[in-house]
Amino acid sequence: MSLIRLYIRVLDLLGREARLGWFLAVANLLLAIAQFAEPVLFGRIVDVLSHSPTPGNTAAVLPATSPWPLLGAWVAFGLFTIVCNAAVAWNADRLAHRQRQAVLTSYFDHILQLPLTFHTGTHSGRLMKVMLQGTDALWRLWLSFFREHFAAIVSLFVLLPLSLYINWRLASLLFSLCIVFTILTTLVVRKTYGMQMEVEEHYGDLAARASDALGNVALVQSFVRIEAEVQGLRGVADKLLAVQMPVLSWWALVAVMTRASTTITILAIFVVGIILNGQGLASIGEIVMFVSFATMLIQKLEQVVGFINSVFMEAPRLQEFFDVLDAVPAVRDRPDAIDPGRLQGLVEFNDVSFSYDGKRPAVADLSFTALPGQTIALVGETGAGKSTAIALLHRAFDPQSGIIKIDGMDVRGMTLAALRRNIGVVFQEALLFNRSIAENLRVGKPDATDAELRAAAEGAQALDFIERSEHKFETSAGERGRLLSGGERQRLSIARALLKNPPILILDEATSALDAVTEAKVNAALDTVMKGRTSFVIAHRLSTIRNATRILVFDQGRVIENGTFDELVARGGYFAELARAQFMVQDAGRTGAPATADSAAIPKP
């Protein structure tokens, strides 16, 4: 994306502030015109006071024999400039701040809607860096554009034609300065654009590495990795500086050359002006006027250099920002999607297939029906397709073929919000916000009363530890729930699902990381939350699915066996081997001797 196109995109993001933007643009145009009154009036006053003839066009524009009317006009233009500048600064500040918050909120809403596959492949630290740096870059560009840069750019388009009208011979020197500046700036931009993109990549690496270390601070400390992580971060910072310094050197060269060119231009104006004055082609006032023009041109060119430099330096951040903003969710609402309200929980998979890479199927020809209130268990090795099948149900992805229905409706015909409102999930890793226990529970039901919170916590076997804490439901869970134990976090996630009260429930290895005592409490809570709901249980511990209505055994994306626990064990197939292996290990741990096949066939829940 070129710098011009990029900046047009920046202005497009003004949104509802665009009307104020147009007002500021008009005000800047008036400022650009008004500020040239000062050098023109100054030159004309010099001519009047020195009684110097004015061979150019200024006398026709401003005929005067007394300096007082010219001085009065100067005062009027000065007051207008002060008032207009104050209005521009006041409104530009408010526009930039308001719209930064609006875009930041919109961006945050957008990335939360992107699919889990996007977040899996993108570091959260990088996303935070892109959001904050991108919106800050937008704020700086909007603010500087409307406060000074737009006026500077417009001034060039007013100054050059005006100087040609007054004295084209002296104006040619100003044009020469602009040409030199344009060529020099273009060369530097082309030279350093790719280098600055590389700089921004290193900034992203820096943010990701720091966030990674802070997110795993327990690992860093326990494995004595503090020095190694600091050295690693320092290495990334050194690489960043190594690429950044040449960019800064090139832009320093632009600043030096611009100053040198303008100094030469002022000297040239004096030399050429004296010669023209001797030939009667320029008055003393015009020489003074063009020196003021040159001084003003220096200021405007420096502002334009600052503008181009700021756009150039922000371009990689903005490019990253727009790349994320332009990411289209693979799963989104159809134009005709509806909200069916609360569903009953009849789930049907009809010949459903899905592949992540288009080569190896993650799920192939999956067909089954779950009646309302039934519990369907999904069993198989890691990567067999269990989690993918359940992800398709709540539309983390859409199948490449086949159809998934709930209560006879294609899930793609429902809005995502309506579908997910009817599905509750208890994850293997309990996901909690760094907020109070009450706030974490109300994720399931934002308007839940205190009585409902207590009832849900009691049903999830969580009320006892909540009541023991000093602040009870106002106790902070800590970042990712780290102030709570694993069992406490899991029971809170179950309470959250109880509050949500969905007709369909997904349990994704909800007890796999718990000790035996905590697992017993969590299983008791799960029995409560599963009552009267269509439940899907992903499990490796087969003891947790002893009473499932039906068990689907997955292997390489296909269901190779299905039936009740006892039916599958009696068949002596793949599931029976899994059952024997798991219960042999458990029996050996209790008795010191291998379990028999008969004992394996009679598992205890």
Side-chain angles (χ1 to χ4, degrees):
M1 187 182 292
S2 70
L3 291 182
I4 295 176
R5 288 178 54 206
L6 185 70
Y7 201 74
I8 290 173
R9 184 81 187 272
V10 169
L11 294 179
D12 282 342
L13 280 180
L14 284 174
R16 61 184 181 183
E17 299 288 347
R19 180 177 298 179
L20 178 56
W22 279 109
F23 165 77
L24 292 173
V26 172
N28 274 285
L29 177 61
L30 296 175
L31 275 174
I33 295 171
Q35 65 186 338
F36 292 109
E38 181 178 334
V40 171
L41 289 168
F42 183 38
R44 189 70 185 100
I45 289 172
V46 169
D47 283 336
V48 170
L49 292 176
S50 63
H51 305 289
S52 174
T54 307
N57 295 301
T58 314
V61 177
L62 299 171
T65 56
S66 170
W68 295 110
L70 297 173
L71 192 60
W74 192 344
V75 170
F77 275 111
L79 290 174
F80 171 80
T81 302
I82 292 171
V83 172
C84 198
N85 265 318
V88 167
W90 176 276
N91 287 284
D93 283 355
R94 279 150 182 75
L95 177 149
H97 281 83
R98 283 197 302 260
Q99 198 57 20
R100 176 175 60 174
Q101 302 307 322
V103 172
L104 186 145
T105 304
S106 175
Y107 174 94
F108 187 64
D109 176 75
H110 174 72
I111 60 175
L112 287 180
Q113 295 186 51
L114 292 175
L116 293 178
T117 49
F118 176 88
H119 291 279
T120 302
T122 308
H123 198 285
S124 59
R126 186 179 291 271
L127 282 177
M128 283 295 296
K129 171 252 182 190
V130 169
M131 179 176 73
L132 296 176
Q133 289 193 351
T135 51
D136 282 349
L138 289 169
W139 170 74
R140 284 190 293 269
L141 290 179
W142 286 329
L143 189 61
S144 62
F145 181 77
F146 287 115
R147 289 188 68 170
E148 56 183 28
H149 290 151
F150 183 64
I153 294 169
V154 172
S155 295
L156 295 179
F157 288 99
V158 175
L159 170 61
L160 296 175
L162 178 63
S163 62
L164 275 176
Y165 178 75
I166 294 173
N167 192 314
W168 66 267
R169 297 172 182 84
L170 292 174
S172 62
L173 298 174
L174 301 182
F175 273 90
S176 299
L177 175 60
C178 289
I179 292 171
V180 170
F181 160 78
T182 302
I183 293 173
L184 182 61
T185 305
T186 302
L187 289 175
V188 172
V189 168
R190 289 184 177 178
K191 180 73 176 177
T192 56
Y193 186 73
M195 297 164 66
Q196 187 61 30
M197 293 294 288
E198 188 177 353
V199 168
E200 204 55 37
E201 288 179 10
H202 287 302
Y203 271 116
D205 294 340
L206 194 71
R209 190 175 185 95
S211 176
D212 208 26
L214 291 173
N216 294 282
V217 67
L219 176 67
V220 170
Q221 293 179 355
S222 62
F223 280 82
V224 197
R225 289 278 307 171
I226 295 176
E227 182 62 26
E229 290 300 322
V230 172
Q231 288 294 338
L233 191 70
R234 187 176 291 119
V236 176
D238 289 342
K239 291 179 182 177
L240 188 155
L241 286 175
V243 181
Q244 182 73 83
M245 288 306 175
V247 177
L248 298 178
S249 298
W250 277 104
W251 281 100
L253 177 64
V254 171
V256 171
M257 294 299 293
T258 302
R259 283 297 181 94
S261 299
T262 50
T263 301
I264 294 170
T265 303
I266 291 177
L267 291 174
I269 287 174
F270 274 114
V271 172
V272 174
I274 292 170
I275 295 172
L276 292 176
N277 182 258
Q279 298 175 355
L281 297 175
S283 69
I284 297 174
E286 285 181 349
I287 296 174
V288 172
M289 189 188 308
F290 271 84
V291 170
S292 298
F293 280 166
T295 304
M296 187 176 292
L297 184 61
I298 293 170
Q299 296 174 348
K300 302 309 174 186
L301 288 179
E302 287 180 341
Q303 288 178 343
V304 171
V305 168
F307 167 68
I308 296 173
N309 187 33
S310 62
V311 175
F312 172 80
M313 298 297 285
E314 306 288 9
R317 297 165 191 164
L318 291 170
Q319 187 65 66
E320 279 189 314
F321 182 84
F322 288 131
D323 286 344
V324 175
L325 202 60
D326 291 340
V328 179
V331 176
R332 54 187 184 275
D333 289 338
R334 289 178 173 178
D336 59 346
I338 64 170
D339 182 349
R342 184 175 176 83
L343 301 170
Q344 296 299 311
L346 171 62
V347 177
E348 301 171 84
F349 276 65
N350 297 322
D351 297 321
V352 172
S353 296
F354 176 79
S355 173
Y356 291 101
D357 56 11
K359 299 176 182 177
R360 187 176 66 87
V363 169
D365 303 322
L366 179 59
S367 296
F368 69 88
T369 299
L371 299 177
Q374 288 188 336
T375 298
I376 307 298
L378 290 77
V379 174
E381 296 180 352
T382 300
K386 311 181 298 296
S387 296
T388 301
I390 295 305
L392 292 169
L393 175 60
H394 60 85
R395 292 194 70 196
F397 325 102
D398 280 333
Q400 276 102 23
S401 63
I403 188 171
I404 302 172
K405 296 180 180 179
I406 300 179
D407 292 358
M409 291 181 57
D410 187 341
V411 294
R412 290 170 292 192
M414 307 177 192
T415 64
L416 284 169
L419 172 66
R420 292 169 182 172
R421 198 181 302 120
N422 281 279
I423 299 175
V425 184
V426 179
F427 299 97
Q428 179 178 5
E429 178 188 0
L431 305 176
L432 298 176
F433 292 114
N434 185 17
R435 302 168 193 171
S436 70
I437 289 175
E439 287 179 281
N440 274 288
L441 293 180
R442 285 194 171 98
V443 169
K445 186 180 180 182
D447 59 348
T449 63
D450 291 344
E452 288 174 321
L453 292 183
R454 290 183 62 84
E458 186 174 11
Q461 307 286 313
L463 189 59
D464 55 344
F465 77 80
I466 295 175
E467 291 291 345
R468 284 198 306 269
S469 62
E470 181 181 356
H471 301 291
K472 298 185 171 45
F473 281 90
E474 294 307 313
T475 301
S476 174
E479 185 179 4
R480 299 185 181 181
R482 287 175 180 167
L483 294 180
L484 306 172
S485 70
E488 290 169 345
R489 291 197 297 268
Q490 198 62 286
R491 279 177 276 172
L492 285 182
S493 68
I494 294 170
R496 187 168 57 198
L498 268 173
L499 268 178
K500 186 176 183 181
N501 191 27
I504 301 171
L505 183 67
I506 297 171
L507 306 177
D508 187 357
E509 294 284 356
T511 63
S512 64
L514 305 178
D515 60 79
V517 175
T518 305
E519 182 182 3
K521 292 182 179 180
V522 172
N523 279 332
L526 289 175
D527 289 340
T528 301
V529 78
M530 291 168 64
K531 286 179 182 177
R533 310 178 202 281
T534 307
S535 301
F536 294 90
V537 182
I538 300 174
H540 282 110
R541 293 186 187 181
L542 302 186
S543 59
T544 62
I545 56 170
R546 181 67 179 79
N547 299 318
T549 308
R550 189 167 10 140
I551 299 171
L552 305 179
V553 183
F554 280 74
D555 184 41
Q556 296 183 4
R558 297 178 183 274
V559 175
I560 58 173
E561 295 177 1
N562 78 86
T564 65
F565 192 101
D566 292 334
E567 288 172 351
L568 293 174
V569 170
R571 287 178 194 168
Y574 181 81
F575 181 84
E577 291 181 9
L578 290 176
R580 280 194 294 271
Q582 287 198 20
F583 293 123
M584 280 180 182
V585 171
Q586 292 176 3
D587 286 348
R590 288 196 300 269
T591 65
T596 64
D598 290 338
S599 68
I602 311 174
K604 296 178 177 61

